[in-house]
Amino acid sequence: MIINITKLLQGDISNGGTYVKKNVAIVVLAVVLLLGATVATVFYSQDRGNNAKGLYALDAAIAYVDAGGTSATPKVVDTIEALYEQVYGEPPHKGYTVDDARADAAFWERYCGYDSIVTVNEDDTFTVRTQSQGYGAKDVTLPRTDRMLSMGTMYMTVAYYLICEKHGVSPYSSGARDNEALLVEFRNVVAGGTDLAYVEQETELLEYIDRGTYRDAGQHTIGNYDRERLADDVSALSADGSAVMLVGTGRTMDKESYDAYDSIVKGQGGIGVLFVTASDIKGSFACIEALGSVLGYGGHTSSLLERLQVKLYSVYKSLEDHAGETHKVYWESSQRNTLGSSGVSKDIMTFFGWDTTLLTQGQVDTEAILREKPDVLIFYNADKRPMDEKMRAA
């Protein structure tokens, strides 16, 4: 009889050291052999570094997330699942269906009952309710799109999940990485935009991109996309007859900028610009549906969304086992600033019911953190600082 130690450790370093659940764990493992009664006792302890200093004194759960997993993409559900596992352990309640999730009216209305922002028209075009600073809400009609210049990693992440769904493989798995047809399709659809340094920092998608063909904008903020470069990129990508769009968030786009970018894209043979974003979990589902429709993945969007909603419901039901528990979170970037309690990240914290007093979108000194005593510390996977520096013990 073989017992997997990893499954028994409540304070393990899991997933190849990607994250840490608890600072110290002592586990007794009884190994019962079929031919005897040998018992082995295993003591497990994590090296906490200089635990007499800094945030080590909190003895808090430490969790890691991808920066791109807190935006309006399918990965937001993966982030929620990962946070649960790193703080509480494996979600015990599974085996649900999407019908189970829909039947839970409180859950469905709060987290999944989104208002669709896309309409499929009789001529096979799509009308999407977009948002921008200059126009507010605006309906934009586009034909099916072949390729996109994605100013923001969320759009390329959505496309990646949809392409994985089409090819029947799990995102970021060896089945995805080794699927040549998937690679070709992803590189065709995600044709350019966000600078690759930022893609590497925020996502796990760099290995899927061909540096030789990707049209790197040299920026990751749409308002900084050089207009002459944009014209060249659209012209090059649409030269073979491909329908090309520019996609991003319109939060900083005034009317002049909106009209200018739209004119440039259409003037160089593209089909226009699409500004979509979300500020909560269910809004993320609406964005996924809209982008999936325009990119021609409508037949795969429903199955992807239902899988995400079932996973989310599993965590939701598992959290009921921890009703009444109080957790305070401190979430820090590599620049030592806290995450702001707003948008999708705020909704993630609301989902868990955690205290976000320390999420001020600024710097919080060590004494204040120690005084507030958060018991969950969150860092980004891309944060390369030594652990002692993160824990302010260096």
Side-chain angles (χ1 to χ4, degrees):
M1 179 179 181
I2 300 175
I3 301 175
N4 189 332
I5 296 177
T6 305
K7 295 296 184 183
L8 296 178
L9 297 178
Q10 295 304 305
D12 59 343
I13 300 175
S14 304
N15 194 21
T18 301
Y19 56 80
V20 180
K21 291 180 184 174
K22 292 289 182 183
N23 287 334
V24 177
I26 299 176
V27 177
V28 177
L29 172 64
V31 180
V32 181
L33 302 178
L34 292 177
L35 299 176
T38 304
V39 176
T41 302
V42 178
F43 294 94
Y44 175 82
S45 176
Q46 180 209 328
D47 180 4
R48 293 170 56 191
N50 189 353
N51 57 12
K53 297 181 179 180
L55 304 186
Y56 286 116
L58 294 169
D59 196 28
I62 303 174
Y64 286 85
V65 299
D66 287 324
T70 57
S71 59
T73 75
K75 196 159 190 176
V76 70
V77 176
D78 293 342
T79 296
I80 289 171
E81 189 175 53
L83 281 172
Y84 182 95
E85 291 176 355
Q86 293 173 81
V87 174
Y88 301 109
E90 185 78 12
H93 299 293
K94 295 186 177 182
Y96 296 107
T97 67
V98 71
D99 289 335
D100 295 326
R102 286 196 181 99
D104 190 329
F107 165 79
W108 193 262
E109 175 60 26
R110 175 63 180 84
Y111 295 108
C112 299
Y114 64 87
D115 294 324
S116 180
I117 60 173
V118 61
T119 301
V120 181
N121 303 313
E122 291 184 359
D123 61 355
D124 293 328
T125 60
F126 306 92
T127 298
V128 181
R129 175 59 57 93
T130 67
Q131 295 286 335
S132 67
Q133 181 191 72
Y135 284 97
K138 179 178 181 179
D139 288 339
V140 173
T141 299
L142 301 169
R144 182 188 179 281
T145 301
D146 302 310
R147 317 186 78 181
M148 66 178 181
L149 290 164
S150 171
M151 289 307 292
T153 58
M154 63 172 281
Y155 312 103
M156 57 178 64
T157 300
V158 171
Y160 173 71
Y161 271 76
L162 287 165
I163 294 170
C164 286
E165 187 75 12
K166 174 183 175 180
H167 288 269
V169 296
S170 297
Y172 312 110
S173 66
S174 58
R177 289 189 295 271
D178 299 337
N179 190 316
E180 187 61 29
L182 183 151
L183 288 173
V184 170
E185 186 168 351
F186 178 79
R187 290 168 180 173
N188 182 69
V189 173
V190 182
T194 305
D195 60 285
L196 292 181
Y198 191 74
V199 172
E200 182 177 22
Q201 174 185 316
E202 299 288 308
T203 76
E204 301 168 71
L205 295 176
L206 189 63
E207 63 183 305
Y208 296 89
I209 293 174
D210 183 346
R211 292 177 180 270
T213 59
Y214 183 83
R215 308 288 299 194
D216 192 325
Q219 300 287 340
H220 52 267
T221 302
I222 192 166
N224 294 331
Y225 202 155
D226 181 79
R227 297 182 183 186
E228 289 187 10
R229 174 179 278 187
L230 172 62
D232 289 343
D233 290 342
V234 175
S235 177
L237 294 174
S238 61
D240 62 358
S242 295
V244 179
M245 73 173 174
L246 171 66
V247 61
T249 174
R251 288 173 178 158
T252 61
M253 298 300 280
D254 57 25
K255 288 184 179 182
E256 185 279 328
S257 298
Y258 186 116
D259 292 341
Y261 279 89
D262 191 54
S263 177
I264 291 169
V265 172
K266 291 176 178 176
Q268 297 301 316
I271 61 171
V273 297
L274 185 66
F275 294 131
V276 290
T277 189
S279 59
D280 56 18
I281 294 168
K282 67 180 179 181
S284 301
F285 293 145
C287 284
I288 293 166
E289 180 190 54
L291 194 61
S293 297
V294 174
L295 289 174
Y297 294 107
H300 304 284
T301 303
S302 294
S303 59
L304 173 61
L305 288 177
E306 288 184 0
R307 285 197 306 99
L308 293 171
Q309 288 159 350
V310 169
K311 286 175 64 176
L312 187 65
Y313 189 58
S314 174
V315 178
Y316 178 84
K317 294 298 289 183
S318 298
L319 279 170
E320 291 180 351
D321 292 355
H322 304 279
E325 292 184 17
T326 300
H327 294 284
K328 181 178 288 187
V329 63
Y330 175 72
W331 192 335
E332 183 175 278
S333 73
S334 57
Q335 286 74 45
R336 202 164 164 170
N337 292 318
T338 66
L339 191 76
S341 185
S342 62
V344 176
S345 57
K346 178 181 180 180
D347 209 30
I348 293 172
M349 295 292 95
T350 300
F351 182 86
F352 282 100
W354 291 345
D355 182 339
T356 59
T357 304
L358 285 166
L359 303 190
T360 60
Q361 204 163 14
Q363 292 198 354
V364 182
D365 62 53
T366 305
E367 290 73 19
I369 298 173
L370 293 172
R371 185 170 59 250
E372 291 291 330
K373 295 183 172 59
D375 61 337
V376 177
L377 307 179
I378 303 176
F379 301 100
Y380 289 115
N381 280 323
D383 186 346
K384 304 303 182 185
R385 292 177 298 164
M387 194 63 196
D388 277 359
E389 183 178 341
K390 293 175 187 174
M391 300 300 283
R392 307 189 182 198

